[in-house]
Amino acid sequence: LQPQAAAAAAAATPGLPSKMVNIPKTRNTYCRKCKKHTPHKVSQYKTGKKTGKAQGDRRYEKKQKGFGGQTKPVFHKKAKTTKKIVLKLECSKCKAKRMKPIKRTKHFELGTDSKKGKSEYGGKYR
């Protein structure tokens, strides 16, 4: 392979995150509760605040108490640079919600106009 071909092959690798993902704020998709296609409101899923009351957290705090330093291994070998985007779809008729994971990406937008190819003064060649 020539250097240009190798670079092109590396850029088109399916496992790598792509440039920009732009998703509309509403999507007509299947609702399991209504049992038909209905318009859904799309938003990005965000993880809630940790309460610290889960069984593992309570066990860890109990083990950490007192003398003896750090008792469990601390993870340092982080390999991923992106997270998978999870869409939260809410049915506009019955308000049923479901999650839909999509691919990994660094830049994600919900229903905004793309700036690519548009200038302040209008047309492409002005």
Side-chain angles (χ1 to χ4, degrees):
L1 281 173
Q2 287 88 5
Q4 293 93 359
T13 310
L16 296 175
S18 65
K19 308 177 266 282
M20 167 73 82
V21 176
N22 194 348
I23 291 194
K25 286 185 179 176
T26 56
R27 174 190 279 194
N28 197 44
T29 186
Y30 184 75
C31 174
R32 291 179 188 147
K33 204 169 167 187
C34 299
K35 294 191 166 52
K36 61 181 179 182
H37 274 70
T38 56
H40 281 64
K41 194 165 73 176
V42 180
S43 57
Q44 188 177 0
Y45 169 76
K46 292 268 193 281
T47 12
K49 199 181 93 178
K50 274 185 65 175
T51 60
K53 293 181 180 178
Q55 178 62 60
D57 290 331
R58 297 197 308 259
R59 186 184 296 120
Y60 178 72
E61 288 304 321
K62 192 170 170 65
K63 195 170 184 179
Q64 284 291 89
K65 250 186 206 168
F67 298 110
Q70 183 67 35
T71 58
K72 290 182 83 66
V74 179
F75 183 71
H76 292 297
K77 295 182 178 178
K78 190 169 183 290
K80 303 278 189 277
T81 58
T82 58
K83 289 186 182 250
K84 286 184 179 177
I85 305 294
V86 178
L87 301 179
K88 188 167 80 174
L89 303 166
E90 184 185 341
C91 178
S92 55
K93 299 277 193 305
C94 67
K95 302 292 181 223
K97 295 169 191 70
R98 69 187 179 99
M99 306 299 172
K100 180 166 179 59
I102 57 172
K103 62 186 175 183
R104 295 176 177 276
T105 182
K106 286 187 177 176
H107 302 289
F108 172 76
E109 283 183 2
L110 262 178
T112 51
D113 295 338
S114 151
K115 301 279 187 280
K116 189 179 175 189
K118 290 186 181 173
S119 72
E120 190 179 337
Y121 305 109
K124 194 173 180 182
Y125 299 110
R126 270 189 210 165

